[in-house]
Amino acid sequence: MEEGKSHPQSDVREITSEGRKQSFGAKLKAHFKRFWWLHLVLFIASILIIVLCIVYVAFPRIAQNGINDSTLEIESLTLSNPTPNSFHLQQTAKLTNHNRYHPRLDAFNASLSVGGAENKPYAYIELPAVHATEITYTNIDQEVQITDMDAFIDYNTQLLTQESVDLVVKGRTKLHEGRLPATTVDYEKTITMKGTQYPLPSPPPQLSQIFLKLNQNNKPGLNSLSTLTIPTFRILLTPTPSGTNMLGTVSIPNPSILTITMGNVTLNNYVDGTFIGTSLLPNLTLKPGENLVEMESKGWDVAGRDSRGKGGE
């Protein structure tokens, strides 16, 4: 061919190659090849946001819901060694976890109060750390300080007079599940306890004083034990130097799970509304079930003379 003349076939190929458009796949491939670092940053940020939402939003809610769904039952309860401001508590409780997760709970201080509108705490106890499997038993053995005597009196009154008593256990602790960070949960359980259901006069006596004044003979009369029976007794023709003229055995039913040390309890005895004397139940400790207790009685006749024939004051 001569110089300067065009080559039509070559020109067609160039025009076709330059004018052809790239496909979407090719453009996308080129985009990722150029901006791969940006998409990697966005992917990591998205994963981080999802993980943070699970750890700090979803997990605390799941943990709290698991605590709310669990149940707490008191298997046994013993109150002993009372002082004017404290008592010794021994308790076995059953914790049931209805969740498929089995977290660990740290030990924490929990308030004790009677269910109701005001429910002021009458004491605080240390609940031990637990691994919440399907069923877990916890044991408490500690001295407990009474923080509100009025609330404690209300607790005792309800415990001795009602068929059941709602005991509120409330506190805050840390929950651990696997390698997730610990989360704070509110622990609040209402436990319905069976009461002894002893009728009381109105107004009721200071039951906390009956409970607290251990080994003292000047207790107020516990007329609330009106359901007791006397299976056996014998009258002493010659009273003892202390004036006791009747000895017997008293049966006191206790349908609750509570064991309570009450010390020397004095009962006022009446016949048709007339006071005739007192009965002493020495070193009384009420346990669940039937309690057979020795009784010492001093009797008065209607004229007010005691068993030694002297006029009453």
Side-chain angles (χ1 to χ4, degrees), residues 75-89:
E75 298 283 305
S76 65
L77 179 64
T78 301
L79 307 178
S80 61
N81 299 332
T83 72
N85 299 307
S86 66
F87 58 89
H88 189 82
L89 173 66

Side-chain angles (χ1 to χ4, degrees), residues 103-152:
R104 291 178 294 106
L105 297 177
D106 290 345
F108 65 99
N109 282 325
S111 64
L112 300 178
S113 59
V114 179
E118 297 183 359
N119 64 350
K120 295 180 180 179
Y122 64 81
Y124 291 83
I125 61 174
E126 177 77 11
L127 291 181
V130 296
H131 182 199
T133 56
E134 184 176 351
I135 296 179
T136 307
Y137 290 92
T138 63
N139 295 302
I140 295 175
D141 189 349
Q142 59 191 252
E143 293 292 327
V144 179
Q145 298 295 319
I146 300 172
T147 57
D148 190 315
M149 183 58 69
D150 290 337
F152 187 60

Side-chain angles (χ1 to χ4, degrees), residues 196-267:
T196 55
Q197 204 175 4
Y198 296 133
L200 289 179
S202 181
Q206 300 293 309
L207 296 180
S208 64
Q209 299 304 315
I210 299 171
F211 168 68
L212 292 173
K213 293 182 180 178
L214 181 63
N215 294 329
Q216 294 185 16
N217 293 321
N218 58 343
K219 288 182 171 61
L222 189 58
N223 294 324
S224 58
L225 301 179
S226 60
T227 55
L228 61 81
T229 58
I230 304 176
T232 61
F233 71 92
R234 61 189 179 93
I235 296 176
L236 304 179
L237 298 179
T238 302
T240 66
S242 65
T244 299
N245 67 337
M246 186 177 75
L247 299 175
T249 302
V250 177
S251 174
I252 306 175
N254 178 10
S256 74
I257 61 170
L258 176 68
T259 298
I260 181 170
T261 300
M262 305 183 74
N264 294 331
V265 175
T266 300
L267 302 176

Side-chain angles (χ1 to χ4, degrees), residues 1 5-18:
M1 290 185 183
K5 291 184 178 181
S6 60
H7 301 278
Q9 189 175 2
S10 177
D11 292 343
V12 171
R13 285 199 298 268
E14 290 180 7
I15 293 173
T16 303
S17 177
E18 292 176 359

